[in-house]
Amino acid sequence: MKLDKNLKILIVGLGLIGGSYAKGLHKQGYKVSAIDTNEDSIAFALQNDIIDNGSTEVDPKLVGEADIVVFALYPHVFKEWIEKNQHLFKSGAVITDVTGVKSCIVYDIQSMLRKDVEFISAHPMAGREVYGVRNSDDKIFKEANYIIVPTDSNTFDAIEICKGIGETLGFARISSLPPKAHDEMIGFVSQLTHCIAVCLMTCSKSEHLVDYTGDSFRDLTRIARINENMWSELFLLNKDALLAQMEKFIGEFNEFYEILKEEDTEKMKEKMIRSTARRALFDK
Amino acid sequence: MKLDKNLKILIVGLGLIGGSYAKGLHKQGYKVSAIDTNEDSIAFALQNDIIDNGSTEVDPKLVGEADIVVFALYPHVFKEWIEKNQHLFKSGAVITDVTGVKSCIVYDIQSMLRKDVEFISAHPMAGREVYGVRNSDDKIFKEANYIIVPTDSNTFDAIEICKGIGETLGFARISSLPPKAHDEMIGFVSQLTHCIAVCLMTCSKSEHLVDYTGDSFRDLTRIARINENMWSELFLLNKDALLAQMEKFIGEFNEFYEILKEEDTEKMKEKMIRSTARRALFDK
């Protein structure tokens, strides 16, 4: 199977990311259907020409005719769905996902899945501080990274299809990482930063912050608006990797604290020079 | 004295902020001159109609005819300048500044200053990750806060002039804080955030971060490009307030670490709900 516009794509979970996938793929000419338990989400997507077909129930016809199924669900809901409904998949279907943590889910899904269906995992590193299909927007992918997370059991064809989805959606960079390396990286660049943003908002009781905050504080706390159900689940599922990244950050932060306390200007400047050089690479 | 367009304004220190002041004030019809030791900065500002007059030396005529003098220098250079050159000020002149820390400088300047000249301190909370008059841009003030930092010895008239400068430059919000409260606030919203951004960039050696970073990491590290000379000076001058804010943040971050370690989902969600509610106020 190769990715082409005659393939039928089913999105399971029509939230912000599922909705943005549907929008982007549908715009590019794909037949897109969706399943979501929320009636309003399906109605909205149908009315706004985001999907061709939709159902609030696990419709055997929609599942059975899909060549590609994209899961955009909470990790534990994803696993339950596969357990309960995988008998409905079309033989030869390719399954992918958008889950933000991988080690805890990829191997489980692959080992429980029917052998005539293949799961190739992916992580679109995009999001917004608002939720639901009504806020979906395929433009969020334009500047974003798309990471394919294959295991040894994935085939070249499935990896190519997964890559093709990322290309079709217009991601800026497409790369590939094994599950463990993915989770360490995510623990650092995404989860640690969300922990920091939350702690910045909760560590001070000042009610008048908004009167004085400059861009710095706004930038560092934008992601402090956080879906507590999704993120607490993602944090727990990646607990060991995240704790390790938090320890690394605390160690560095405590070192900076001591340097300031001792008024060691030279060491402070060294750190600032290093951070400036590393950050400059992002702006090239 | 009231702020009007016949007043002559002198900017001492024509870097990013001094240059942006000059641009904004000159556009609004003020006569603006500048002193900066850097020949290129003065030449550039004259060629690009940012200032009317300029000098690379402390020109007695430029200083002596200025009704308002804005200091945009490093704190220690500012103090030295006043000590050495204050005899040149016009009697009745109003002096202001853009310094990012206040307790350590405002009282010193006020007590050393000639009694026929008044210093009213201000902090324009604006900046960019690039430097110098060539990067100056008065648009950086449009979304920014301008804080007037008066002491008991300031007069109503000088405070009004200082406020008028902020209004002329088009700041989004103009407010007033005593030096100590200003420094605590700055320790939190500006300096602590810069410490965090620097530590995020220095705590990990990964060379391939740029391939995987999403918006979150980019947002939290934008300010990690930092002028090490200016910021190490500002950190040291506000050392006690900053250390106190760092301790508060470390305490909260360690608490979050323990909550995750113990898998206390409810407590984690509570923190996320609180941070979301507080951050939402910024986006109204």
Side-chain angles (χ1 to χ4, degrees):
Chain A
M1 185 164 88
K2 295 217 173 296
L3 193 64
D4 76 62
K5 292 183 184 178
N6 296 315
L7 296 181
K8 288 184 175 165
I9 301 180
L10 169 67
I11 313 282
V12 182
L14 203 62
L16 177 79
I17 298 293
S20 302
Y21 264 58
K23 248 181 205 174
L25 293 166
H26 198 223
K27 262 189 206 168
Q28 296 296 322
Y30 286 90
K31 285 266 174 217
V32 178
S33 57
I35 293 175
D36 195 294
T37 54
N38 186 317
E39 229 170 277
D40 177 66
S41 300
I42 294 295
F44 178 86
L46 285 169
Q47 278 155 24
N48 290 275
D49 197 31
I50 296 171
I51 55 174
D52 297 291
N53 293 294
S55 171
T56 55
E57 289 177 10
V58 180
D59 179 339
K61 186 168 168 291
L62 283 188
V63 181
E65 68 188 17
D67 302 291
I68 295 170
V69 187
V70 181
F71 284 86
L73 298 173
Y74 282 37
H76 75 276
V77 184
F78 178 23
K79 277 195 202 177
E80 284 166 19
W81 201 102
I82 296 289
E83 266 175 356
K84 203 167 151 196
N85 303 303
Q86 65 162 310
H87 62 281
L88 299 173
F89 286 136
K90 181 178 183 172
S91 187
V94 168
I95 314 299
T96 186
D97 71 338
V98 302
T99 317
V101 286
K102 296 303 187 189
S103 304
C104 62
I105 195 152
V106 174
Y107 300 108
D108 285 357
I109 299 278
Q110 286 187 341
S111 69
M112 73 168 76
L113 202 62
R114 279 164 44 194
K115 296 309 155 208
D116 61 333
V117 169
E118 181 168 350
F119 174 53
I120 170 72
S121 193
H123 183 188
M125 289 185 68
R128 295 183 66 190
E129 286 65 62
V130 286
Y131 303 97
V133 67
R134 285 175 182 271
N135 290 306
S136 66
D137 183 353
D138 56 311
K139 284 192 210 77
I140 62 176
F141 304 136
K142 300 298 171 211
E143 300 289 318
N145 292 306
Y146 179 84
I147 304 171
I148 304 164
V149 188
T151 68
D152 292 346
S153 64
N154 279 117
T155 63
F156 179 77
D157 279 0
I159 293 172
E160 279 299 298
I161 283 177
C162 186
K163 191 178 165 202
I165 293 173
E167 287 166 352
T168 304
L169 291 170
F171 280 88
R173 282 168 301 277
I174 297 177
S175 56
S176 176
L177 276 179
K180 187 164 180 287
H182 168 274
D183 290 350
E184 284 169 4
M185 185 275 296
I186 281 300
F188 182 57
V189 304
S190 170
Q191 297 187 329
L192 173 62
T193 50
H194 280 78
C195 289
I196 288 171
V198 167
C199 290
L200 263 173
M201 285 314 301
T202 55
C203 77
S204 177
K205 278 187 190 129
S206 169
E207 317 244 306
H208 304 291
L209 277 181
V210 69
D211 295 337
Y212 304 113
T213 45
D215 287 347
S216 318
F217 196 81
R218 285 176 187 271
D219 278 2
L220 266 82
T221 57
R222 183 181 60 82
I223 55 172
R225 292 185 78 165
I226 191 169
N227 177 328
E228 72 275 7
N229 295 311
M230 183 173 84
W231 283 91
S232 60
E233 182 166 341
L234 291 175
F235 281 5
L236 282 178
L237 287 171
N238 203 31
K239 182 182 152 184
D240 293 339
L242 176 53
L243 288 176
Q245 298 297 347
M246 289 179 86
E247 284 160 23
K248 204 153 66 172
F249 176 75
I250 293 174
E252 185 71 15
F253 194 80
N254 282 331
E255 200 180 309
F256 202 98
Y257 178 92
E258 290 303 325
I259 287 173
L260 174 59
K261 200 171 176 185
E262 287 159 22
E263 306 196 359
D264 189 338
T265 311
E266 283 317 303
K267 273 199 189 152
M268 200 184 302
K269 285 186 188 175
E270 268 170 39
K271 286 203 181 287
M272 290 175 176
I273 289 167
R274 198 175 316 141
S275 90
T276 300
R278 286 187 183 168
R279 185 57 175 76
L281 297 177
F282 290 14
D283 295 330
K284 268 184 183 166
Chain B
M1 185 165 86
K2 295 215 173 299
L3 193 63
D4 76 61
K5 292 183 184 177
N6 296 315
L7 296 181
K8 287 183 175 166
I9 301 180
L10 170 66
I11 313 281
V12 182
L14 204 62
L16 177 79
I17 298 294
S20 302
Y21 263 59
K23 248 181 206 175
L25 293 166
H26 199 222
K27 263 190 204 166
Q28 296 295 322
Y30 286 89
K31 286 265 172 220
V32 178
S33 58
I35 293 174
D36 194 294
T37 52
N38 186 317
E39 227 170 276
D40 177 66
S41 300
I42 295 294
F44 179 86
L46 285 168
Q47 278 156 22
N48 290 275
D49 197 30
I50 296 171
I51 55 173
D52 297 292
N53 292 295
S55 172
T56 55
E57 288 177 10
V58 180
D59 179 339
K61 185 167 170 292
L62 282 188
V63 181
E65 67 186 20
D67 302 291
I68 295 169
V69 187
V70 180
F71 283 87
L73 298 173
Y74 281 37
H76 75 275
V77 184
F78 178 22
K79 276 195 201 177
E80 285 166 17
W81 201 102
I82 295 289
E83 266 176 357
K84 200 167 152 195
N85 303 303
Q86 64 163 311
H87 61 280
L88 299 173
F89 286 136
K90 180 176 182 173
S91 187
V94 169
I95 314 298
T96 186
D97 71 336
V98 303
T99 317
V101 287
K102 295 304 185 189
S103 305
C104 62
I105 194 151
V106 174
Y107 300 107
D108 286 355
I109 299 277
Q110 287 187 341
S111 69
M112 73 168 74
L113 203 62
R114 278 165 44 193
K115 295 309 153 207
D116 61 333
V117 169
E118 181 168 350
F119 174 53
I120 170 71
S121 193
H123 183 188
M125 290 184 66
R128 295 183 67 190
E129 286 66 61
V130 285
Y131 302 97
V133 67
R134 285 175 182 272
N135 290 305
S136 65
D137 184 352
D138 56 309
K139 285 193 208 77
I140 62 175
F141 304 136
K142 299 297 169 210
E143 300 288 319
N145 292 306
Y146 179 83
I147 304 172
I148 304 164
V149 188
T151 68
D152 292 346
S153 65
N154 279 117
T155 63
F156 179 77
D157 279 359
I159 293 171
E160 280 298 297
I161 282 176
C162 186
K163 191 177 163 200
I165 294 173
E167 287 166 351
T168 304
L169 291 170
F171 280 88
R173 282 167 301 277
I174 296 178
S175 56
S176 176
L177 276 180
K180 187 164 180 287
H182 168 274
D183 289 351
E184 283 170 5
M185 185 276 295
I186 281 300
F188 183 58
V189 304
S190 170
Q191 297 187 330
L192 173 63
T193 50
H194 280 79
C195 289
I196 288 171
V198 168
C199 289
L200 263 173
M201 286 313 301
T202 55
C203 77
S204 178
K205 279 187 192 130
S206 170
E207 316 246 305
H208 303 292
L209 277 181
V210 68
D211 295 337
Y212 304 113
T213 45
D215 287 346
S216 319
F217 196 81
R218 284 176 187 273
D219 278 2
L220 266 81
T221 56
R222 183 183 59 83
I223 55 173
R225 290 185 77 164
I226 192 169
N227 178 328
E228 72 276 6
N229 295 311
M230 182 173 86
W231 283 90
S232 60
E233 182 166 341
L234 292 174
F235 282 6
L236 282 178
L237 287 171
N238 202 31
K239 181 182 153 184
D240 293 340
L242 176 53
L243 288 177
Q245 298 297 348
M246 290 178 86
E247 285 161 22
K248 204 154 64 172
F249 176 76
I250 293 174
E252 185 71 14
F253 193 80
N254 282 333
E255 200 180 308
F256 202 99
Y257 178 91
E258 290 302 325
I259 287 173
L260 174 60
K261 200 170 174 186
E262 287 158 21
E263 306 195 0
D264 189 338
T265 311
E266 283 318 303
K267 274 200 187 150
M268 199 184 302
K269 285 186 186 174
E270 268 171 37
K271 287 203 180 287
M272 290 175 177
I273 289 167
R274 198 176 316 140
S275 89
T276 299
R278 287 188 182 167
R279 186 55 175 78
L281 297 175
F282 290 13
D283 294 330
K284 267 186 183 164

